[in-house]
Amino acid sequence: RGLIAKRMFDKRHLCQKHRLAEHLCGYQNDFVPETAIIRKGVWTQVPRDFFRKANTTQGRRSVFFLKDSHRDNGKGVRVSLGISSSLLSKIDKKRTYVLQRHVDNVMLWESAYKFDLRMFSLAVFRPGEKPKFYIYPHGYCRVNPTKWERDTAKKSLQITNVSFFKRQNSSYLLVPTANFTGFMPCIYERIKRAIALSCIKTQEAMHSQNRKNRHCGYQLFAFDFLIDNDQKPWLLEVNASPGCSRNRRPQSMVDTLQEMFDQ
């Protein structure tokens, strides 16, 4: 199945951070945080006023994430207050990165803990057709177990990746959106729009080299969002291999995924 799926479409356009940022460059400050791209030491995409804002008093106190575009599970992520020289010194000129500014006014779990929302979309592939994406209306919150501090570059406080917590032998909290009172209908509608636009913008590139494909298949994608206090979702990244096994997720999470496939 894996080999067939690999031949069917180019999922890199959704799942490699720099490619996704390229496709969604027109939606920065809409549902995509301010994101710059560094390809092998060259700044190939820089949002307007990115460095000017970073050099203000507020910008120097803002959290920035330098993310290796080809790594996941919380690996290859460096955190800094402002765009510091020590952060830039970590750039390997043989690799590609995105540099992303933290979302302002982020919503906190119980007004104290940072969290993100993981939502799911299923891509279905048929011979000679562009992939079709189906969005499931439920997901889950991933809650960092330590009280959040705004003005800190401590990685353990700024990320919500479950794999990172497991490597650190730290506790974490997973809560279905059905049990999250802050998951308002307006948030879901905005998330649905962000997922739909992400899929539309990458659909042609994913399909272009596979028009003669004769296989059918599917791919599960996980979309990770931060929510701000204005109930606005911000897309952080997309994953093509979200952990779904029973020994990695609570039963309620497994049931959610099973229901999605059944529908």
Side-chain angles (χ1 to χ4, degrees):
R1 260 188 320 193
L3 290 176
I4 292 175
K6 186 176 181 179
R7 297 190 193 105
M8 288 171 55
F9 71 104
D10 189 355
K11 64 186 179 184
R12 295 176 301 172
H13 292 276
L14 263 179
C15 299
Q16 287 186 355
K17 300 173 185 65
H18 72 287
R19 292 180 186 270
L20 182 65
E22 288 171 342
H23 286 294
L24 299 181
C25 63
Y27 296 97
Q28 294 206 19
N29 292 318
D30 180 348
F31 62 86
V32 178
E34 291 184 6
T35 306
I37 300 173
I38 309 106
R39 283 177 176 264
K40 298 182 178 180
V42 179
W43 296 74
T44 60
Q45 177 177 300
V46 181
R48 184 177 181 179
D49 294 332
F50 187 74
F51 289 111
R52 183 187 65 79
K53 292 178 182 177
N55 285 326
T56 63
T57 300
Q58 181 180 356
R60 287 190 289 270
R61 294 178 59 190
S62 296
V63 174
F64 285 82
F65 300 89
L66 180 67
K67 303 178 182 179
D68 190 314
S69 187
H70 298 88
R71 303 187 71 183
D72 52 20
N73 295 324
K75 298 177 181 178
V77 177
R78 298 185 182 277
V79 184
S80 172
L81 287 180
I83 305 177
S84 63
S85 56
S86 60
L87 179 69
L88 298 179
S89 69
K90 303 299 182 183
I91 294 175
D92 183 342
K93 293 185 178 181
K94 295 180 180 180
R95 303 191 65 81
T96 298
Y97 301 86
V98 296
L99 180 61
Q100 197 168 69
R101 183 175 177 172
H102 195 286
V103 172
D104 292 329
N105 197 27
V106 65
M107 181 185 291
L108 300 178
W109 189 269
E110 297 180 346
S111 302
Y113 303 93
K114 187 175 180 180
F115 74 97
D116 69 5
L117 284 178
R118 169 158 285 191
M119 305 296 289
F120 296 97
S121 176
L122 188 68
V124 177
F125 304 88
R126 297 183 177 90
E129 298 180 8
K130 294 180 182 179
K132 293 183 179 179
F133 294 86
Y134 299 86
I135 303 171
Y136 189 65
H138 302 294
Y140 59 89
C141 306
R142 306 186 298 179
V143 185
N144 189 307
T146 307
K147 285 189 176 182
W148 186 63
E149 299 175 19
R150 180 179 301 276
D151 300 328
T152 180
K154 193 173 181 180
K155 183 176 177 179
S156 60
L157 291 182
Q158 296 294 354
I159 70 172
T160 52
N161 188 279
V162 170
S163 296
F164 173 81
F165 297 142
K166 285 180 175 291
R167 291 196 300 272
Q168 301 295 315
N169 292 317
S170 299
S171 61
Y172 56 90
L173 182 64
L174 298 178
V175 181
T177 52
N179 299 337
F180 174 37
T181 57
F183 191 60
M184 305 296 186
C186 64
I187 294 179
Y188 173 63
E189 289 302 317
R190 292 167 179 170
I191 284 176
K192 185 165 64 173
R193 171 180 174 269
I195 293 177
L197 287 171
S198 300
C199 295
I200 290 169
K201 288 296 182 179
T202 58
Q203 189 182 51
E204 183 63 33
M206 292 171 69
H207 174 68
S208 61
Q209 57 185 322
N210 299 287
R211 296 182 185 277
K212 296 181 180 180
N213 173 63
R214 293 179 293 175
H215 298 287
C216 294
Y218 63 86
Q219 175 71 54
L220 178 66
F221 292 100
F223 289 73
D224 295 336
F225 293 90
L226 280 183
I227 310 296
D228 68 19
N229 284 321
D230 296 322
Q231 299 181 341
K232 183 176 180 179
W234 296 89
L235 178 62
L236 301 181
E237 59 184 58
V238 183
N239 296 278
S241 56
C244 302
S245 65
R246 294 183 184 274
N247 64 346
R248 284 176 55 88
R249 296 290 181 268
Q251 184 61 44
S252 58
M253 301 294 99
V254 179
D255 292 343
T256 292
L257 295 171
Q258 185 63 55
E259 181 183 350
M260 181 178 68
F261 280 99
D262 291 343
Q263 292 181 0

